[in-house]
Amino acid sequence: MMPKVAACFVGFVMDFLFGDPDWIYHPVQWMGRGISYGEKVLRKFFRKEKNSLIVAGTILWICIAALSYILPFCLLLLADRVHPALSFCLESFWCWQIFAARGLVKESKKVYEQLAISNLDGARNAVSMIVGRDTKELTTEGVIKATVETIAENTSDGVTAPLLYMILGGAPLGFLYKAVNTMDSMLGYKNEKYIYFGRVPAKLDDVFNYLPSRITAWFMIISAGFLGFSIKGAWKIYRRDRRKHASPNSAQTESVCAGALGVQLAGNATYFGKLYEKEFIGENLRPIENEDIVRAGRLMYSTSVLMLIFFGVLKVFLVL
């Protein structure tokens, strides 16, 4: 088996068993600090005009993306010169850091546990850690919906998309993807501050996630059948609702999850005190319930494992 594919497998298993290695400073935190610092510097040198801000945001994207790929690539080359085993161990560790499956399940479980003891305020606080919307006024149904939606969306963003990039180009390409994703989460807002500065980071995040989100949706439909969920419902709602989102990618997996579970997701949501009208995704075949958080987590893991096996084996055979 190719070392990069093997490192990806090892990283996935380590994340599944132990979760994120939070005893060491995470590379994404360095990315975040670099993005914040770069933004401050560039805003001092560029005028507050549309074209200038777009250029500044583009320069920041290029710098962060390049550093995120080049640094781990060079470190792996150095490690390989010392010994191939050292390079493999380092890349496996980085793959472990890049995956976010167990962390997502862990945070969603906190919501589940608070709702299980009827602590709505606690559940609102727990879900606020993993969603961007305002949560203080959410009902129990709203909390569950928000949690299921973020699991469905982050199945691609946090697990399968980086998985595909790592299988393709190892940890360096995985870090490049994480940088793109982090820049979108920090800069990709349609408000006065970032509407122009964050335009390129937001658009390029859409580009990087275009194929992974759709591939993930297809494998999620298959996974729904393996888990005993509605594969027909998953396919039907995917075909009908996969474009019902401002992002070209987010509704891909959300629609499959909604159809597989037979519930209705999305709808209006409040962000920073402002109400945003959104279309519903899925059909309200039954009331959404707390157990749907667990079901969404199982669907995420099943999809991830199928994709890891399929594309890992495919990569090995293509190379051989």
Side-chain angles (χ1 to χ4, degrees):
M1 182 179 290
M2 291 180 59
K4 290 190 180 299
V5 175
C8 192
F9 269 83
V10 171
F12 185 86
V13 172
M14 292 295 285
D15 178 75
F16 177 80
L17 293 176
F18 305 110
D20 192 51
D22 53 11
W23 43 268
I24 190 171
Y25 202 73
H26 201 286
V28 172
Q29 293 175 290
W30 286 109
M31 292 175 190
R33 293 179 67 178
I35 294 165
S36 296
Y37 178 76
E39 179 186 351
K40 290 177 183 178
V41 171
L42 287 166
R43 284 187 182 275
K44 290 179 181 179
F45 287 93
F46 286 84
R47 291 172 294 178
K48 296 181 180 180
E49 298 175 358
K50 176 182 176 180
N51 291 336
S52 292
L53 290 173
I54 290 175
V55 170
T58 303
I59 292 172
L60 179 60
W61 189 94
I62 292 171
C63 291
I64 297 296
L67 285 171
S68 298
Y69 181 85
I70 293 171
L71 285 177
F73 181 82
C74 291
L75 287 173
L76 284 174
L77 283 180
L78 289 173
D80 192 61
R81 287 191 175 187
V82 176
H83 198 283
L86 178 62
S87 177
F88 175 76
C89 290
L90 180 59
E91 187 154 27
S92 296
F93 180 76
W94 280 341
C95 290
W96 176 17
Q97 287 187 303
I98 291 169
F99 282 119
R102 174 127 183 187
L104 182 59
V105 169
K106 179 182 177 181
E107 293 302 315
S108 65
K109 187 178 179 181
K110 292 178 182 177
V111 181
Y112 175 87
E113 290 172 344
Q114 292 300 314
L115 290 175
I117 59 174
S118 301
N119 184 2
L120 181 56
D121 286 336
R124 288 168 173 164
N125 182 64
V127 77
S128 71
M129 299 293 106
I130 54 175
V131 300
R133 72 189 68 183
D134 298 342
T135 63
K136 291 183 179 179
E137 303 299 324
L138 288 180
T139 62
T140 297
E141 178 185 357
V143 169
I144 298 171
K145 273 189 175 184
T147 307
V148 172
E149 286 169 25
T150 199
I151 293 172
E153 181 178 353
N154 283 286
T155 296
S156 179
D157 290 356
V159 189
T160 58
L163 184 156
L164 289 172
Y165 281 107
M166 284 188 288
I167 287 178
L168 185 64
L173 198 58
F175 277 130
L176 171 58
Y177 171 79
K178 294 299 287 186
V180 171
N181 203 239
T182 303
M183 283 189 278
D184 177 62
S185 66
M186 293 180 66
L187 309 173
Y189 295 101
K190 293 182 178 179
N191 55 27
E192 185 178 351
K193 184 177 181 180
Y194 290 112
I195 185 67
Y196 300 125
F197 190 90
R199 178 169 294 182
V200 169
K203 294 297 182 183
L204 287 173
D205 181 76
D206 289 341
V207 172
F208 270 74
N209 281 292
Y210 189 86
L211 283 177
S213 65
R214 285 153 179 77
I215 293 171
T216 302
W218 302 335
F219 275 87
M220 189 178 281
I221 293 170
I222 298 170
S223 296
F226 281 128
L227 294 173
F229 301 147
S230 175
I231 191 170
K232 290 184 179 179
W235 175 245
K236 173 186 174 183
I237 301 303
Y238 170 71
R239 289 289 303 276
R240 192 189 74 186
D241 295 350
R242 68 185 186 276
R243 296 187 181 92
K244 289 185 177 181
H245 201 285
S247 163
N249 303 318
S250 296
Q252 299 290 320
T253 48
E254 283 186 36
S255 59
V256 175
C257 185
L261 300 182
V263 298
Q264 193 173 69
L265 301 175
N268 296 347
T270 303
Y271 296 84
F272 305 106
K274 182 179 179 181
L275 179 66
Y276 288 82
E277 295 186 356
K278 298 182 177 183
E279 292 187 82
F280 285 108
I281 294 175
E283 296 177 343
N284 194 18
L285 301 180
R286 62 172 178 82
I288 197 166
E289 59 186 15
N290 201 20
E291 288 299 320
D292 287 317
I293 295 175
V294 177
R295 295 179 185 120
R298 289 169 57 201
L299 189 58
M300 177 200 70
Y301 263 124
S302 176
T303 303
S304 304
V305 170
L306 280 180
M307 289 182 64
L308 178 63
I309 294 172
F310 180 84
F311 287 103
V313 171
L314 181 63
K315 177 68 177 289
V316 172
F317 274 100
L318 285 176
V319 171
L320 293 178

